Amino acid sequence: MNHSAQRQAILAQLRSVTCHPTADELHAMLRGTMPQLSLGTVYRNLDLLTRNGMVLALHTAGAQKRFDGNTELHHHMRCESCDRVFDLHSLEHAGELEMVLQKILRATRCHAYHLEMTGVCDSCKNQ
Amino acid sequence: MNHSAQRQAILAQLRSVTCHPTADELHAMLRGTMPQLSLGTVYRNLDLLTRNGMVLALHTAGAQKRFDGNTELHHHMRCESCDRVFDLHSLEHAGELEMVLQKILRATRCHAYHLEMTGVCDSCKNQ
DNA sequence: GTCGTTGCAAACGGTTTGCACCGTC
DNA sequence: GACGGTGCAAACCGTTTGCAACGAC
């Protein structure tokens, strides 16, 4: 794993950023330092990193997939105005939520869940 | 609203079915009684019905959107084997979950959420 | 030389859209 | 005759894939 410069750059970029870029946003970010980098390579590596559990793919609401360099369990909030995705890490009632969800996981014999809240983010609210 | 036979048929079909068909699945279902019906019309009407709140669009995980004729609040389970979506209506701990989620909604000033569980459905488990 | 990886461009697949046409008011 | 809606086909756009080339071992 991680033999190539491109792969390392993609992973590093994704981890250095708190937002959840799409593949082409990532491509645009890296174009500055890696002008040769192709979109296909970005997709290939994101797929590979996702399957190796080093990156989270948020193929949730909205048209485009978004990627998350933080693979720890956390929930997301999507702004319905700008369509960006934010982490809900320091969530109030998070412990409570996790407890209920664990119970439900057991009851439904599912093994994963994804919770996405929808609203308007602060920066969109202020304009 | 609902002036056209096609629109009524699409809505009726979606409501008469407990699964959550994609646009082309719906198109295939209706082709039998409405051989002329075009995919474009299905998309156009689903979009219209969604924006009028008569249908829920589950643009969640997976590539294709799935549509839900039941606009009441409920959660979903996606089978990772066949990729179909099921309702989790009679969920154990549902009341508990709703309470926590309402608290979180208030705290985050979001106004909606979507919870999707992932697992393997019974019919896939049995083969 | 083999293998993994790349850039590029073409293909793919779900969705949207432009257009001419039709039925209803 | 204006308008909303349709079927059809082409366009669109995010993503995947085939291919020749390249670099590390």
Side-chain angles (χ1 to χ4, degrees):
Chain A
M1 258 321 266
N2 272 20
H3 289 316
S4 89
Q6 285 89 336
R7 181 131 69 240
Q8 282 169 25
I10 290 168
L11 185 55
Q13 182 67 31
L14 197 49
R15 285 191 173 152
S16 77
V17 119
T18 64
C19 64
H20 302 74
T22 59
D24 56 313
E25 282 168 358
L26 222 29
H27 181 233
M29 292 173 189
L30 292 164
R31 223 46 213 273
T33 51
M34 258 187 169
Q36 293 280 57
L37 181 68
S38 82
L39 230 199
T41 298
V42 175
Y43 274 109
R44 263 189 294 237
N45 281 310
L46 284 173
D47 179 51
L48 216 152
L49 290 166
T50 302
R51 277 183 305 170
N52 281 58
M54 308 176 73
V55 150
L56 233 52
L58 311 178
H59 42 135
T60 35
Q64 279 177 278
K65 278 187 201 167
R66 290 187 173 273
F67 295 88
D68 192 341
N70 174 13
T71 54
E72 275 174 52
L73 180 76
H74 60 292
H75 305 288
H76 291 105
M77 187 267 214
R78 182 177 296 263
C79 174
E80 55 192 358
S81 168
C82 64
D83 200 45
R84 281 182 300 176
V85 173
F86 302 91
D87 289 334
L88 291 177
H89 21 54
S90 58
L91 197 56
E92 268 184 87
H93 316 290
E96 231 174 311
L97 176 64
E98 245 43 77
M99 266 182 47
V100 183
L101 286 175
Q102 288 302 328
K103 283 192 219 169
I104 293 178
L105 276 187
R106 250 171 280 138
T108 55
R109 286 174 302 167
C110 288
H111 55 72
Y113 55 76
H114 182 83
L115 176 64
E116 187 175 294
M117 320 288 295
T118 311
V120 179
C121 73
D122 289 337
S123 74
C124 283
K125 226 172 263 168
N126 297 334
Q127 60 191 21
Chain B
M1 260 318 266
N2 273 21
H3 288 315
S4 90
Q6 286 86 336
R7 181 131 71 240
Q8 282 170 23
I10 290 168
L11 184 55
Q13 181 67 32
L14 197 49
R15 286 193 172 150
S16 77
V17 119
T18 64
C19 64
H20 301 74
T22 59
D24 54 314
E25 282 168 357
L26 223 29
H27 182 233
M29 292 173 190
L30 291 164
R31 222 48 211 273
T33 52
M34 256 186 170
Q36 292 279 57
L37 181 68
S38 81
L39 229 199
T41 297
V42 175
Y43 274 109
R44 263 189 294 238
N45 281 309
L46 284 173
D47 180 50
L48 216 152
L49 290 167
T50 302
R51 279 182 306 169
N52 280 60
M54 307 176 72
V55 150
L56 233 51
L58 310 178
H59 40 135
T60 35
Q64 278 177 278
K65 278 187 199 165
R66 290 186 171 275
F67 295 88
D68 191 341
N70 174 13
T71 53
E72 274 173 52
L73 179 75
H74 60 293
H75 304 289
H76 292 105
M77 186 267 213
R78 182 177 296 262
C79 173
E80 55 193 357
S81 169
C82 63
D83 200 46
R84 282 182 298 175
V85 173
F86 302 90
D87 288 335
L88 292 177
H89 20 51
S90 57
L91 196 56
E92 267 185 88
H93 317 289
E96 231 174 310
L97 176 65
E98 245 43 77
M99 265 182 46
V100 183
L101 286 174
Q102 287 301 327
K103 283 192 220 168
I104 293 176
L105 276 187
R106 248 171 282 138
T108 56
R109 285 175 304 167
C110 289
H111 55 72
Y113 54 77
H114 182 83
L115 176 64
E116 187 174 293
M117 319 288 295
T118 312
V120 179
C121 73
D122 289 336
S123 75
C124 283
K125 226 172 264 167
N126 296 335
Q127 60 190 22

